[in-house]
């Protein structure tokens, strides 16, 4: 592979032979210190030898100012003759860099962040703002359009541009950064988040094929999988790599059987000379996995390869480093060198192991990519932001202004001094500001703690040999006197800081006795998370899908947040990440999930995020964050005189009846506005087929409808709406028993409020409860919750037992219509329950009471954590189950309320609750949101097909709602519709003459 390449220069060959001999002795007799000095001498000798040949053979190719070229050449020649002087130069630079800020004096630390099509609330944008502010930057956020003009104004200002960092968030703004990085007006201290050379190298349509088709690279082997050249001509991504390449893999036998795809993340901080760093986190996928997962590279390789893991990791480093070297050489040779010395670029390398310890590169992508994860929205985004944060802190250490900065740079920004020996502060290191900045940056990076570890320059014989070959074939600034001199300086900085351990790249045993100690130490630190005490109980970020614009913007110290979502957003997935990895995060409950899918009902939903300390046996809640999400009602327009009436039975988003139409349809025979409506008769049952109707400007666009006027319309009949006196008279001296779940309970509280004009008592009862204060004490209401699903099955009361208990608590009961039993719920009811109900009533001599069966309703159709979820087929099956329940109930002579047909067309209008089945909520009138609809309306239709709202006498005066001083009120227009149908059926017996049409 690359390691086997032979140098073409005589000096490179001699040095290579010496290095190889030194390498073979590394485990036998060489002390660590001697080995370190020896390898350092190898690298410097090879580098300076090539520099000497370049200086003798060809003029310097450089984009530096002419006045700096001669001192640099003289300085380089002096170093070649007297390499020992480099030590004092590096020492001076090292001392200076400990207190110096990498930006000109007086310019401040200003950063410009271009967000493109992103929104400011995006968690990635927030990350940039937070980290940059923590590092002492004053940050300005722009989209790309206004930024261009602003950046041009900065360039024309006295003293040049005032920004130190230009950072482009992926999503449309990259072109601005790329052009700015190549601008001739760019100042030496300014850095941009795009390296033009790499941007060109990995944006070309040929992709990785350039390394196989470029004649200048002939004879050099690059570990690139052949399928990587299967590039579409339209500029798309390469074809999805196959697990088995067309040729047999080459490599060490020890690695056979190891098949994996690995994504590694690389930070390049310079291309001339090349400096690159590898993050220990990768995205891995073995042949046994259907999707990738995030893992530290070192433990992943050790798990699958054991003692061969260091060799595999070294091969990864050499493969990535070799492609980077070739990419920068080929691009730099064809275009002039960029002036952006401090630019940086994040790259994703995808590598394929196929039975060998030598991987092949499948793809190189700009930016960080996590598409192969099972959960890229959360796991991928969180990992991406962690790497981004590591990169920013690695590149931009927090520093303060230094008044002694002129020791390194003059006020004019030109090199200080004209000749070797006449420079200030660096013992004669007469380098232009950009190159001096580069050396200082490199020294900072080597001393900066954190996960990023040096990838190149590295003490790898293979990469060293490849660099020599490329220097021979490509004559660029990078391999001219200046470029080689900088490379030599970087090598000395590397070895002077103690980071040039030759054991690291080849994976030998370090002084601590563990392979690749730097990565291993970092991994061991992170693996301790969750065992120590939670020392910083704050959240680092809250992630949501879809992304929510939190108000105020997220900050670890803020505990209360609000967000608003449109009507069509019915679920939100939430995951929160703690600042301290020893802290745990749970949603809603002390032992709740860390990530959950929440249904978002109309109005406000409140979610609690708990940060806990679980170092002891019992978790301790340290901090509570709350997120209030307000979901808007349907987009609505006021009804104009020019409108049409549209009807619908089901929403196209959930086809309960696949063979029936969905969405809005124009109604034929709709009367003109002001034309009197015709109502022929009251409906004879509570399951009369019908549809929802709503006035719209156009039935083809539901956003043009006035959804405040939506109403339920049965076909050919009407459900009378009772006045309060009528209802009070109807229920005089009657007992109404309810058995069922919370949807049944919502109908009960609606009845109580309608009768009393107020709702004085309210409770989320989950047992049996009796109300004696209804209708001035003339009506008794009792309720029994069924099923008690939260209990163990062995302890859960049966339907028979719950019904018997309800009857016992409600006695004495009259065997007539004066006793009413309302049974049903959202989806638990089936025909067996009706058989049991009939048997119990027969045994209790109550067969003549009025029984009303509330049928099924929409719910459990959303994928929500912690509860069962129905598939589309499951929802469709409910329609048939519901029809069977209605048929069986009528067989026993029971009244029915078909809530399934009523709710299926408006299934998105559920209110709070995980089941998405509640179409009511009880709250205080003063604190409740504005009414979702102005009033409940029940439509009727005459024989001639006319439709319209009821205008019959007292019905217009009935606006069901709380009376003065009512502490509670039942909200929910859908619940209001089927509850009013219930009331009409309760009072439909012949003795209630008040129901006859007026």
């Amino acid at each position: 592979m690359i390691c086997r390449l032979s140098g073409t220069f005589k000096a490179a060959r001699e040095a290579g032979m010496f290095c190889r001999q030194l390498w073979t002795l590394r485990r036998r007799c060489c002390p660590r210190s001697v080995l370190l000095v020896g390898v350092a001498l190898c690298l410097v000798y090879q580098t300076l030898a090539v520099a000497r040949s370049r200086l003798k053979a060809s003029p310097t190719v450089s984009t530096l100012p002419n006045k700096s070229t001669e001192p640099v050449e003289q300085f380089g020649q002096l170093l070649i003759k007297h390499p020992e002087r480099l030590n004092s130069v590096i020492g001076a630079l090292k001392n200076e860099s400990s207190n110096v800020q990498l930006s000109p004096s007086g310019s401040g630390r200003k950063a410009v962040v271009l967000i493109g099509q992103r929104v400011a609330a995006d968690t990635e944008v927030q990350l940039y703002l937070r980290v940059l502010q923590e590092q002492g930057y004053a940050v300005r956020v722009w989209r790309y359009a206004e930024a261009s003009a602003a950046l041009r104004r900065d360039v024309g200002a006295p003293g040049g541009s005032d920004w130190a960092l230009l950072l482009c968030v992926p999503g449309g703004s990259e072109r601005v950064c790329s052009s700015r990085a190549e601008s001739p007006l760019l100042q030496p201290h300014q850095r941009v988040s795009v390296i033009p050379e790499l941007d060109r190298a990995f944006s070309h349509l040929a992709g990785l094929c350039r390394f196989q088709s470029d004649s200048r690279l002939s004879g050099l082997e690059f570990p690139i999988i052949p399928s990587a050249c299967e590039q579409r001509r339209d500029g798309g991504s390469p074809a999805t790599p196959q697990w088995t390449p067309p040729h047999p893999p080459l490599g060490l036998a020890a690695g056979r059987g190891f098949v994996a795809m690995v994504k590694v993340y690389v930070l390049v901080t310079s291309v001339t000379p090349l400096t690159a760093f590898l993050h220990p986190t990768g995205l891995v996928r073995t042949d046994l996995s259907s999707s990738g997962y995030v893992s530290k590279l070192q433990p992943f390789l050790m798990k699958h390869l054991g003692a061969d893991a260091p060799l595999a990791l070294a091969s990864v480093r050499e493969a990535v480093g070799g492609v980077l070297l070739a990419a920068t050489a080929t691009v730099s040779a064809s275009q002039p060198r960029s002036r952006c010395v401090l630019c940086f670029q994040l790259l994703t390398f995808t590598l394929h192991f196929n039975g060998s310890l030598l991987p092949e590169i499948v793809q190189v992508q700009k930016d960080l990519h996590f598409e192969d994860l099972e959960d890229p929205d959360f796991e991928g985004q969180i990992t991406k932001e962690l790497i981004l944060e590591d990169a920013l802190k690695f590149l931009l250490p927090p520093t303060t202004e230094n008044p002694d900065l002129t020791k390194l740079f003059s006020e004019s920004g030109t090199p200080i001094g004209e000749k070797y020996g006449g420079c200030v502060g660096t013992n004669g290191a007469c380098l232009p500001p950009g190159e001096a900045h580069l050396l200082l940056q490199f020294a900072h990076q080597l001393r900066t703690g954190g996960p990023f570890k040096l990838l190149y320059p590295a003490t790898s014989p293979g990469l060293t040999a490849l660099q020599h070959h490329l220097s021979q074939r490509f004559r660029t600034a990078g391999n001219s006197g200046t470029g080689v001199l900088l490379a030599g300086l970087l090598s000395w900085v590397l070895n002077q800081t103690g980071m040039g351990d030759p054991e690291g790249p080849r994976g030998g045993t370090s002084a601590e006795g563990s392979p690749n100690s730097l990565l291993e130490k970092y991994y061991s630190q992170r693996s301790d998370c969750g065992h120590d005490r939670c020392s910083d109980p704050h959240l680092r970020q809250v992630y949501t899908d879809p992304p929510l614009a939190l108000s105020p913007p997220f900050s670890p110290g803020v505990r209360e947040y609000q967000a608003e979502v449109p009507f069509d957003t019915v679920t939100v997935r939430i995951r929160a990440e703690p600042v301290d990895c020893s802290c745990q995060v749970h949603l809603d409950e002390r032992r709740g999930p860390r990530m959950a899918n929440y249904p978002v009902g109309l109005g406000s939903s409140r979610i609690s995020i708990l940060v806990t300390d679980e170092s002891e046996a019992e978790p301790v809640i340290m901090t509570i964050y709350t997120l209030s999400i307000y979901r808007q009602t349907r987009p609505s327009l006021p009804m104009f005189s020019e409108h049409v009436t549209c009807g619908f039975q089901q929403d196209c988003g959930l086809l309960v009846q696949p063979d029936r139409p969905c969405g809005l349809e124009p109604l034929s025979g709709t009367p003109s506005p002001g034309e009197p409506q015709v109502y022929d008769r009251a409906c004879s049952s509570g399951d009369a087929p019908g549809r929802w109707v709503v006035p719209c400007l156009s039935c083809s666009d539901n956003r043009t409808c006035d959804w405040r006027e939506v109403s339920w319309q049965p076909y050919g009949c009407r459900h009378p709406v009772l006045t309060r006196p009528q209802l009070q008279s109807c229920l005089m001296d009657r007992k109404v028993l309810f058995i069922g779940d919370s949807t049944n309970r919502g109908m009960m509280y609606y009845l109580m409020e309608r009768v009393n004009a107020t709702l004085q008592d309210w409770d989320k009862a989950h047992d049996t409860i009796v109300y004696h204060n209804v209708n001035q004490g003339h009506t008794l209401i009792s309720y029994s919750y069924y099923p008690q699903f939260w209990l163990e099955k062995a302890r859960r009361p049966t339907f028979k037992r719950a019904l018997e208990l309800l009857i016992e608590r409600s006695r004495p009961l009259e065997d007539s219509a004066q006793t009413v039993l309302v049974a049903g719920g959202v989806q638990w009811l089936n025909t067996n329950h009706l058989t049991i109900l009939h048997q119990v009533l027969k045994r209790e001599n109550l067969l003549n009471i009025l029984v009303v069966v509330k049928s099924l309703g929409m719910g459990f159709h959303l994928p929500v954590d912690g509860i069962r979820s129905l598939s589309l087929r499951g929802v469709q099956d409910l329609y048939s189950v519901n029809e069977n329940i209605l048929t069986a109930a009528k067989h026993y002579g029971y009244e029915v309320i078909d809530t399934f047909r009523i709710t299926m067309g408006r299934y998105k209008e559920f209110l709070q609750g995980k089941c998405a089945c509640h179409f009511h909520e009880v709250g205080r009138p003063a604190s409740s949101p504005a009414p979702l609809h102005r009033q409940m309306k029940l439509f009727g239709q005459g024989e001639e097909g006319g439709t319209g709202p009821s205008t019959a006498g007292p019905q217009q005066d009935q606006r069901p709602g709380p009376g003065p001083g009512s502490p509670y009120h039942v909200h929910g227009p859908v619940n209001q519709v089927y509850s009013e149908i219930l009331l009409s059926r309760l009072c439909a017996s012949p003795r209630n003459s008040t129901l006859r049409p007026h």
Side-chain angles (χ1 to χ4, degrees):
M1 203 174 150
I2 297 176
C3 300
R4 298 191 293 269
L5 294 172
S6 59
T8 55
F9 291 157
K10 181 178 179 181
R13 284 200 304 266
E14 294 173 352
M17 292 175 62
F18 173 73
C19 288
R20 284 192 292 272
Q21 293 172 359
L22 187 65
W23 186 257
T24 58
L25 296 174
R26 70 190 187 280
R27 297 183 185 271
R28 293 165 53 187
C29 59
C30 287
R32 181 183 179 90
S33 58
V34 175
L35 183 63
L36 177 63
V37 173
V39 174
L41 289 175
C42 285
L43 289 172
V44 174
Y45 179 77
Q46 293 180 70
T47 302
L48 295 181
V50 174
R52 177 170 53 190
S53 64
R54 283 277 178 238
L55 290 171
K56 290 180 179 180
S58 62
T60 299
V61 181
S62 177
T63 58
L64 302 175
N66 292 334
K67 60 182 178 180
S68 68
T69 302
E70 183 179 354
V72 169
E73 291 181 354
Q74 294 175 356
F75 183 44
Q77 292 175 356
L78 285 170
L79 284 179
I80 292 172
K81 295 178 181 178
H82 305 284
E84 69 278 0
R85 297 190 183 184
L86 189 58
N87 194 26
S88 61
V89 172
I90 295 300
L93 281 173
K94 183 176 178 180
N95 293 333
E96 292 288 350
S97 64
S98 63
N99 297 314
V100 74
Q101 177 178 310
L102 300 182
S103 60
S105 179
S107 71
R109 292 168 68 86
K110 297 182 180 179
V112 176
V113 178
L114 306 185
I115 63 176
Q117 299 294 335
R118 301 285 190 94
V119 295
D122 188 284
T123 58
E124 190 172 327
V125 175
Q126 292 182 12
L127 169 74
Y128 291 130
L129 300 183
R130 176 177 60 81
V131 175
L132 291 176
Q133 290 168 354
E134 289 175 355
Q135 305 303 95
Y137 281 84
V139 187
R140 288 173 286 183
V141 178
W142 285 322
R143 297 197 182 276
Y144 47 84
E146 59 268 28
S148 298
L151 292 174
R152 284 196 298 270
R153 287 195 300 271
D154 287 346
V155 170
S161 302
D162 68 344
W163 54 271
L165 171 66
L166 177 60
L167 197 153
C168 287
V169 181
S173 62
E174 298 90 338
R175 184 171 298 180
V176 176
C177 277
S178 183
S179 62
R180 181 57 50 179
E182 297 186 279
S183 170
L185 299 176
L186 196 71
Q187 301 298 307
H189 72 278
Q190 292 177 324
R191 64 177 79 225
V192 185
S193 62
V194 172
I195 295 181
E197 291 89 341
L198 296 181
D199 189 57
R200 292 191 296 267
F202 299 115
S203 295
H204 195 276
L205 292 181
L208 292 175
C209 296
R210 68 167 69 246
F211 301 101
Q212 299 180 4
S213 60
D214 195 325
S215 60
R216 298 169 296 180
L217 299 176
S218 61
L220 303 180
E221 289 187 28
F222 293 97
I224 297 172
I225 198 168
S227 60
C229 279
E230 297 172 6
Q231 187 82 17
R232 296 199 307 265
R233 293 298 181 182
D234 59 358
S237 300
T240 301
Q242 301 298 317
W243 283 101
T244 304
H247 60 78
L250 302 176
L252 303 177
R256 296 196 180 277
F258 176 53
V259 179
M261 197 75 79
V262 178
K263 286 185 184 289
V264 298
Y265 304 102
V266 177
L267 173 63
V268 181
T269 57
S270 170
V271 294
T272 309
L274 177 64
T275 56
F277 298 82
L278 179 68
H279 199 277
T281 299
L283 176 59
V284 298
R285 177 163 64 96
T286 65
D287 58 339
L288 302 177
S289 305
S290 59
S291 58
Y293 60 95
V294 176
S295 173
K296 296 291 188 292
L297 298 176
Q298 177 77 2
F300 170 75
L301 294 174
M302 292 183 70
K303 174 183 176 181
H304 291 278
L305 295 173
D308 291 327
L311 295 174
L313 185 58
S315 298
V316 170
R317 291 172 171 272
E318 290 203 351
V320 173
V323 168
L324 285 175
L325 284 171
T328 57
T330 54
V331 175
S332 299
S334 58
Q335 297 194 26
R337 175 190 172 197
S338 167
R339 287 182 52 86
C340 191
V341 179
L342 300 181
C343 282
F344 59 93
Q345 180 93 47
L346 282 161
L347 299 172
T348 299
F349 281 75
T350 302
L351 300 99
H352 179 209
F353 285 92
N354 189 33
S356 168
L357 295 182
L358 305 180
E360 295 178 298
I361 294 180
V362 175
Q363 189 178 20
V364 182
Q365 298 167 283
K366 296 182 294 182
D367 195 39
L368 305 177
H369 293 267
F370 298 86
E371 300 90 347
D372 297 336
L373 275 175
E374 184 175 356
D375 185 12
D377 293 333
F378 275 2
E379 192 68 30
Q381 186 64 26
I382 292 170
T383 307
K384 178 180 181 180
E385 291 181 18
L386 288 173
I387 296 177
L388 286 173
E389 183 172 359
D390 289 341
L392 290 176
K393 291 182 177 180
F394 180 71
L395 290 164
L396 312 170
T399 55
T400 56
E401 292 287 349
N402 190 338
D404 298 327
L405 196 62
T406 53
K407 291 182 179 180
L408 291 180
F409 311 108
S410 67
E411 294 182 358
S412 62
T414 57
I416 302 175
E418 295 295 332
K419 293 187 296 184
Y420 178 78
C423 299
V424 180
T426 56
N427 291 345
C430 295
L431 293 176
E435 279 69 10
H437 271 296
L438 180 62
L439 289 176
L440 294 178
Q441 171 181 267
F442 191 63
H444 271 291
Q445 291 166 352
L446 293 181
R447 290 200 309 272
T448 299
F452 276 103
K453 302 305 175 185
L454 186 65
L455 175 69
Y456 191 88
T459 54
S460 163
L463 293 180
T464 301
L466 176 61
Q467 176 65 65
H468 290 165
H469 277 278
L470 295 174
S471 299
Q472 181 182 13
R473 301 184 186 196
F474 297 92
R475 296 180 178 271
T476 66
N479 54 56
S480 68
T482 304
V484 175
L485 172 61
L486 284 173
L489 290 174
L490 292 182
S491 296
W492 270 96
V493 170
L494 174 63
N495 288 284
Q496 287 293 312
T497 55
M499 300 294 293
D501 184 2
E503 299 293 329
R506 299 304 300 175
T509 304
S510 67
E512 292 79 16
S514 62
N516 213 316
S517 59
L518 292 175
L519 286 181
E520 185 68 20
K521 286 179 183 179
Y522 176 76
Y523 177 71
S524 63
Q525 292 172 359
R526 298 295 297 178
S527 64
D528 290 336
C529 292
H531 301 290
D532 298 331
R533 287 191 175 275
C534 175
S535 59
D536 187 358
H538 292 88
L539 294 180
R540 183 175 60 83
Q541 185 57 268
V542 175
Y543 298 90
T544 63
D545 181 28
L548 300 181
L550 300 184
S551 177
F554 181 80
S555 174
V558 179
R559 308 292 173 82
E560 296 274 346
Y561 296 93
Q562 293 79 40
E564 190 168 328
V565 296
F567 172 77
D568 287 327
T569 299
V570 294
T571 59
V572 172
R573 197 157 55 112
I574 298 177
R575 174 171 169 176
E577 289 293 306
V579 171
D580 182 356
C581 65
S582 294
C583 303
Q584 302 299 316
V585 176
H586 300 279
L587 299 176
D588 279 342
E589 301 174 351
R590 188 189 304 261
R591 298 187 183 277
R594 182 178 185 178
M595 177 182 69
N597 208 34
Y598 279 89
V600 185
L602 289 177
S604 294
S605 299
R606 189 176 178 88
I607 300 168
S608 298
I609 306 173
L610 284 58
V611 182
T612 65
D613 183 353
E614 300 183 13
S615 58
E616 302 295 336
E618 187 65 23
V620 177
I621 299 176
M622 307 290 288
T623 310
I624 299 178
Y625 293 78
T626 58
L627 173 58
S628 297
I629 303 176
Y630 182 81
R631 179 167 162 239
Q632 302 169 349
T633 57
R634 287 181 181 269
S636 183
L637 287 179
M639 183 171 60
F640 299 98
S641 57
E642 297 292 334
H643 72 278
V644 295
T645 302
C646 310
F648 65 97
Q649 291 181 323
Q650 60 179 340
D651 192 294
C652 294
L654 189 64
L655 293 178
V656 180
Q657 294 180 277
D659 57 336
R660 301 296 299 275
C662 65
L664 295 175
E665 292 186 314
L667 300 185
S668 59
T670 302
S672 302
E675 181 180 336
Q677 309 299 321
V678 180
Y679 297 90
D680 63 330
R681 61 185 178 86
C683 295
S684 60
S685 69
D687 66 339
R691 60 189 167 188
W692 292 98
V693 296
V694 60
C696 306
L697 294 179
S698 170
C699 294
S700 62
D701 189 349
N702 59 17
R703 295 171 300 176
T704 68
C705 303
D706 189 349
W707 289 100
R708 300 170 301 175
E709 301 293 335
V710 62
S711 302
W712 176 255
Q713 174 187 297
Y715 297 115
C717 65
R718 63 182 178 86
H719 294 292
V721 179
L722 283 72
T723 65
R724 183 163 288 114
Q726 288 175 327
L727 184 57
Q728 291 172 341
S729 174
C730 164
L731 295 179
M732 183 67 65
D733 299 326
R734 301 178 79 176
K735 294 184 177 182
V736 185
L737 290 63
F738 288 84
I739 182 169
D741 57 26
S742 54
T743 62
N744 199 328
R745 188 177 60 209
M747 297 172 66
M748 177 187 73
Y749 283 123
Y750 183 88
L751 180 151
M752 293 170 60
E753 184 178 359
R754 282 279 276 119
V755 174
N756 287 352
T758 65
L759 186 60
Q760 298 294 327
D761 298 296
W762 171 72
D763 184 20
K764 290 185 177 180
H766 287 84
D767 48 14
T768 302
I769 190 169
V770 180
Y771 294 99
H772 298 276
N773 59 343
V774 181
N775 201 9
Q776 298 180 348
H778 297 291
T779 303
L780 180 140
I781 302 291
S782 58
Y783 171 76
S784 180
Y785 193 96
Y786 181 85
Q788 296 182 6
F789 54 86
W790 59 91
L791 298 177
E792 297 178 6
K793 192 171 183 179
R795 299 177 53 232
R796 193 179 304 166
T798 64
F799 177 69
K800 177 183 177 181
R801 178 56 186 156
L803 178 59
E804 291 172 343
L805 180 61
L806 177 64
I807 292 175
E808 185 65 29
R809 290 286 302 273
S810 306
R811 290 187 186 277
L813 297 175
E814 182 180 323
D815 185 24
S816 69
Q818 288 297 98
T819 301
V820 180
L821 175 63
V822 182
V826 57
Q827 286 172 17
W828 60 266
L829 185 66
N830 58 50
T831 56
N832 291 332
H833 293 101
L834 299 182
T835 301
I836 295 172
L837 188 152
H838 180 75
Q839 292 171 349
V840 171
L841 293 180
K842 182 178 180 180
R843 189 185 67 241
E844 299 291 338
N845 296 318
L846 294 173
L847 286 178
N848 294 317
I849 70 171
L850 176 61
V851 178
V852 182
V853 174
K854 173 195 176 298
S855 72
L856 307 185
M858 287 300 299
F860 301 97
H861 52 275
L862 298 177
V864 176
D865 296 270
I867 64 171
R868 68 187 181 97
S869 177
L870 293 176
S871 64
L872 175 59
R873 180 59 183 270
V875 176
Q876 293 170 348
D877 290 341
L878 283 181
Y879 187 89
S880 299
V881 174
N882 191 71
E883 291 295 304
N884 293 336
I885 292 173
L886 295 174
T887 301
K890 291 178 182 179
H891 172 75
Y892 288 112
Y894 302 155
E895 285 280 356
V896 294
I897 309 295
D898 185 8
T899 50
F900 192 80
R901 284 197 184 101
I902 293 175
T903 57
M904 76 178 189
R906 299 177 69 177
Y907 75 95
K908 290 183 179 179
E909 297 182 43
F910 64 90
L911 301 173
Q912 286 193 30
K914 288 188 175 181
C915 63
C917 62
H918 295 127
F919 293 91
H920 80 282
E921 62 182 358
V922 181
R924 298 184 180 274
S927 61
S928 61
L932 300 178
H933 301 276
R934 285 188 297 205
Q935 67 179 51
M936 187 278 299
K937 287 188 177 150
L938 292 173
F939 275 48
Q941 179 176 359
E943 295 178 351
E944 297 180 3
T947 62
S950 171
T951 58
Q955 295 185 32
Q956 277 300 326
D957 297 329
Q958 291 305 313
R959 296 192 178 204
S966 178
Y968 302 108
H969 174 56
V970 182
H971 303 277
V974 178
N975 175 78
Q976 187 177 0
V977 166
Y978 53 70
S979 296
E980 285 290 342
I981 296 176
L982 168 66
L983 299 184
S984 72
R985 301 317 305 162
L986 292 181
C987 303
S989 62
R991 72 179 186 87
N992 292 292
S993 59
T994 56
L995 283 183
R996 294 173 183 173
H998 294 274

